[in-house]
Amino acid sequence: MNRTAIFLSGPVGAGKTTFGKALAEVWGGCFIDGDDHCPTDRRWFAASLTTARSLLAAIEAAALPGRPVIIAYPLRQREWTFHRLHLARATISSLLVSLDVDLDSLDSLTRERRLSRAERARAAEMLAQGYGDRPFGHLTVRTDVGSREDVLACLVAGLLRLQPALLKGPEAC
């Protein structure tokens, strides 16, 4: 059975942690919050490389056959390429799921988390940079359409379609 790492990427507030924990529970896998691996005392490049190496080590330690590792962390293409290639060398398949959300829905009273002004500004910036729908990803899911259960069902169904063929082109839900 394959070892698999599933990255959830998206802007601040899109639900990476919420849905990452839920997916890990569905499959009996492990959840890794990428923010726990980010040093705050280093400049961008040094922090980026340290984060990538720390995430790889955590993924390799947690990846078990038939139990995916779910990683909540927004990725640029260069970071995705780095992770994908290194994980492939460790015989760990990888998928990238973009979580997309409309900026206005981040202020909805039904959302679990209220964003600060700075977080909302960062979410707007990340959405403008395409974090909600990465063209190099395998699957894009909107997290602001339907209930949490609907979104989780869409994630599970999309990932199950992709699992047999990791190189399949991007899909949208």
Side-chain angles (χ1 to χ4, degrees):
M1 218 177 230
N2 232 2
R3 296 187 304 159
T4 304
I6 301 169
F7 288 83
L8 300 182
S9 184
V12 172
K16 296 180 296 292
T17 299
T18 297
F19 292 109
K21 288 178 178 178
L23 286 171
E25 188 175 314
V26 164
W27 279 308
C30 179
F31 173 75
I32 296 174
D33 188 336
D35 291 341
D36 293 343
H37 296 266
C38 297
T40 57
D41 61 340
R42 297 190 179 176
R43 292 182 181 233
W44 172 81
F45 182 76
S48 181
L49 187 56
T50 300
T51 299
R53 288 177 174 159
S54 179
L55 279 173
L56 285 173
I59 294 165
E60 287 184 39
L64 298 172
R67 296 180 182 259
V69 179
I70 315 295
I71 306 98
Y73 196 66
L75 295 173
R76 295 176 181 92
Q77 186 163 6
R78 68 177 164 262
E79 288 125 352
W80 167 241
T81 301
F82 177 87
H83 284 95
R84 183 176 48 82
L85 293 174
H86 280 65
L87 291 171
R89 287 187 199 125
T91 66
I92 300 171
S93 302
S94 55
L95 291 165
L96 176 67
V97 177
S98 297
L99 299 183
D100 200 6
V101 63
D102 184 74
L103 184 61
D104 291 333
S105 73
L106 293 176
D107 294 326
S108 168
L109 295 176
T110 61
R111 293 190 69 85
E112 203 171 285
R113 177 177 166 210
R114 301 293 296 168
L115 298 183
S116 69
R117 188 176 308 180
E119 288 174 319
R120 191 174 195 291
R122 179 65 182 134
E125 183 180 315
M126 292 175 84
L127 283 166
Q129 293 171 352
Y131 277 87
D133 187 12
R134 290 303 202 193
F136 49 87
H138 294 92
L139 177 68
T140 298
V141 175
R142 294 214 38 117
T143 61
D144 58 350
V145 178
S147 68
R148 181 185 308 197
E149 292 77 21
D150 293 339
V151 174
L152 182 59
C154 185
L155 275 165
V156 169
L159 288 166
L160 287 173
R161 282 192 309 270
L162 290 170
Q163 191 58 32
L166 295 179
L167 298 178
K168 196 172 180 181
E171 294 187 24
C173 182

